Amino acid sequence: MASNLVRKADLRRETRYPLNGTLRILWEDSDGREVISKAQIVDVSVSGLKLRLEDKIPVRTYISCNEPRLGVRGRGSVRYCHFAKGKFVVGIEFTGGTGWREPSQD
């Protein structure tokens, strides 16, 4: 089973980094109404975020965010949404990037 975890990690395009912070995201529900959700960031990469929040967001829904303090901003698409430990865990892919930069390796 551990080999499956290693293989999955190797398929990622960028390294994920833990990031502690809260992010407000804007998205539209199935009726076209704008919804603002408060999400806890689990981890971040140059092109994606993993969030934990109260709301179920359908796959392929576009979300927008702008949090200059955390260096995260842009528009992304929901890749997955799973219920775990009382909240939804949501993966977001930002084709134009999250605006976040990897820590320097100096």
Side-chain angles (χ1 to χ4, degrees):
M1 182 158 172
S3 63
N4 288 342
L5 296 175
V6 172
R7 192 176 70 209
K8 182 176 179 181
D10 291 343
L11 294 177
R12 294 204 183 273
R13 285 177 269 177
E14 291 106 11
T15 303
R16 296 276 179 121
Y17 294 90
L19 183 64
N20 188 18
T22 302
L23 184 66
R24 287 180 12 165
I25 60 172
L26 177 67
W27 56 284
E28 284 188 6
D29 67 12
S30 59
D31 294 326
R33 292 181 297 226
E34 286 189 343
V35 179
I36 298 174
S37 298
K38 183 177 171 184
Q40 184 69 35
I41 300 172
V42 176
D43 62 36
V44 63
S45 74
V46 172
S47 65
L49 286 171
K50 181 193 273 186
L51 305 174
R52 185 174 291 120
L53 63 153
E54 299 283 338
D55 300 310
K56 181 178 182 179
I57 305 177
V59 172
R60 292 186 293 281
T61 298
Y62 282 97
I63 67 102
S64 297
C65 62
N66 184 11
E67 182 49 71
R69 185 176 56 81
L70 298 172
V72 177
R73 66 186 168 281
R75 186 168 188 252
S77 175
V78 174
R79 302 293 290 179
Y80 63 84
C81 180
H82 306 292
F83 190 75
K85 298 181 183 176
K87 298 213 177 193
F88 291 95
V89 177
V90 180
I92 313 287
E93 180 181 32
F94 290 72
T95 54
T98 59
W100 180 85
R101 300 287 174 244
E102 288 188 21
S104 63
Q105 302 297 322
D106 296 338

